[in-house]
Each structure stands twice: as C-alpha cells, then as structure tokens.
Amino acid sequence: MSETTRTPGQIILSWWGRDLGHNPDFDNGAARKARAELRRADNPSEVLALEATHRLHRGLVGAGAGPRFAGSGGPERLALIAAVIAGLDAHARRSLAARFGEKQDDRPRLSHLRFQRILRAGEAWELAVRLRRVLPLAGRTANVAGLGNDLLYWGEDVRNRWCFDYFGATPPGEGDKPANSQPLAATEQGLIP
C-alpha cells in the first residue's frame, strides 16, 4: 500500500509501531531513544528538532495531509501529534475519549472537569501538555490511528465527537430510528394541524 492510498491515521499508526518501536520487529535502541526524546520534550521546538517527527511529517504529507500543516499553526500541530502519540504504550480499539469516560468505581477514569479543560485548550501545545498529563489515567492505551487523526483534524467537530465518546453515547443522527417502523401519520409529520 503506497503512502497516497493510506489514511493519515494509518500513517500515524505505522509511525508509532516502526519509528517508536511499538512493533516488536522495530523495537530497537533508536526507536526507544526517539520515544524517550519525544516524551521528554518540553515545547514544540524540542519535538520538531527530532528526526522521528520529520519522518512522521513526510508520511502525512505523502498521504495528502500537507494542508493541515500550512500556516502559522502547522508546526505546532505536528508537534502535538508526535508528542501525544509518543505517550501511548498500547493500541486499542476504543478512542482515548471513550477510555477517559470508562467507569472505575462508578466514576470516570478522567473527571468531567479535567475532560472539559482538555476540550477548552486554546493552543495546540496547550492541548498536548494536558493530554500528556492524563494519558496514564487511560493506561497509556487508546486507538492510535484514531487519536492521531483526531489531533490532525482537531476542531469543533472532533471535540463534539469526543463528548459523545466520553459519555458512551451515540451522536444525534447516528442510529436514530423510530422504534416503530411504520410510516408516520400525517399528523405526526406535521402536515395536518
């Protein structure tokens, strides 16, 4: 599969496995070093100064995500993705937001207040810092491709979906079917007053 036929999420998952050593075939000193350097990075410049980050960038551009890095916020978006994804130890089917909302002793792994703070993060690096701090609450486990894609396209639509994932709910319009499969009567359709 060439870079152009892979989605950005697939590129990010491959990068996480290969360049950060989460795939046993690529778990070596260089991958562990890259992972450690990304986890220790204190600011976007430190993340951007690493070769592994630029391999991720080349892969994402090859997959057509280049426009997401255009403009003044582009480098910080790349640093956000690399820094947060480096903090994951395991890949899972569930999204990070769903993992945060999982109940433990009748309470979510991540409190509502801390979840709301993540959603309110104004800058890309502020979001990175907040997410990196709470990854241990999710066991450093999430859907790597999904999280990478969410960070790449972070905006109101992604934040809204995270809210539904956190509460384990289906967004309006998805799966909304009337219990009765019979057609609505004219009065129910609002055609007859």
Side-chain angles (χ1 to χ4, degrees):
M1 188 180 288
S2 71
E3 296 283 304
T4 56
T5 60
R6 296 170 66 196
T7 67
Q10 291 169 327
I11 297 291
I12 293 165
L13 179 60
S14 291
W15 174 80
W16 176 81
R18 183 187 59 241
D19 290 87
L20 302 185
H22 291 287
N23 178 328
D25 294 338
F26 297 99
D27 186 14
N28 56 43
R32 287 189 295 273
K33 179 181 178 195
R35 186 171 63 234
E37 288 174 335
L38 283 166
R39 286 183 176 185
R40 282 194 308 264
D42 287 330
N43 57 58
S45 297
E46 288 182 16
V47 174
L48 296 170
L50 300 172
E51 185 178 348
T53 303
H54 292 276
R55 284 193 298 271
L56 172 62
H57 183 248
R58 283 190 296 276
L60 288 170
V61 169
R68 298 302 301 168
F69 304 113
S72 62
E76 288 80 12
R77 183 178 300 270
L78 177 62
L80 160 69
I81 296 166
V84 173
I85 295 299
L88 294 174
D89 288 335
H91 176 65
R93 293 187 65 169
R94 298 197 66 176
S95 71
L96 183 60
R99 298 266 307 147
F100 286 152
E102 288 175 350
K103 301 289 186 194
Q104 290 184 323
D105 300 324
D106 294 329
R107 297 172 64 191
R109 289 176 180 260
L110 180 70
S111 73
H112 295 127
L113 182 60
R114 288 182 84 181
F115 180 71
Q116 290 170 353
R117 285 184 186 144
I118 288 168
L119 297 179
R120 285 195 303 265
E123 301 286 325
W125 191 250
E126 179 185 3
L127 176 61
V129 169
R130 290 179 184 186
L131 284 173
R132 289 165 84 186
R133 285 181 183 152
V134 297
L135 281 177
L137 297 175
R140 294 187 173 278
T141 301
N143 185 308
V144 175
L147 177 58
N149 206 54
D150 286 350
L151 297 175
L152 178 64
Y153 295 102
W154 189 259
E156 196 61 27
D157 288 343
V158 173
R159 287 191 296 268
N160 289 341
R161 186 171 30 78
W162 274 41
C163 292
F164 286 96
D165 285 356
Y166 178 83
F167 288 104
T170 303
E174 292 183 24
D176 290 347
K177 294 181 182 177
N180 183 350
S181 61
Q182 298 294 323
L184 297 176
T187 54
E188 292 172 311
Q189 294 176 8
L191 301 174
I192 300 174

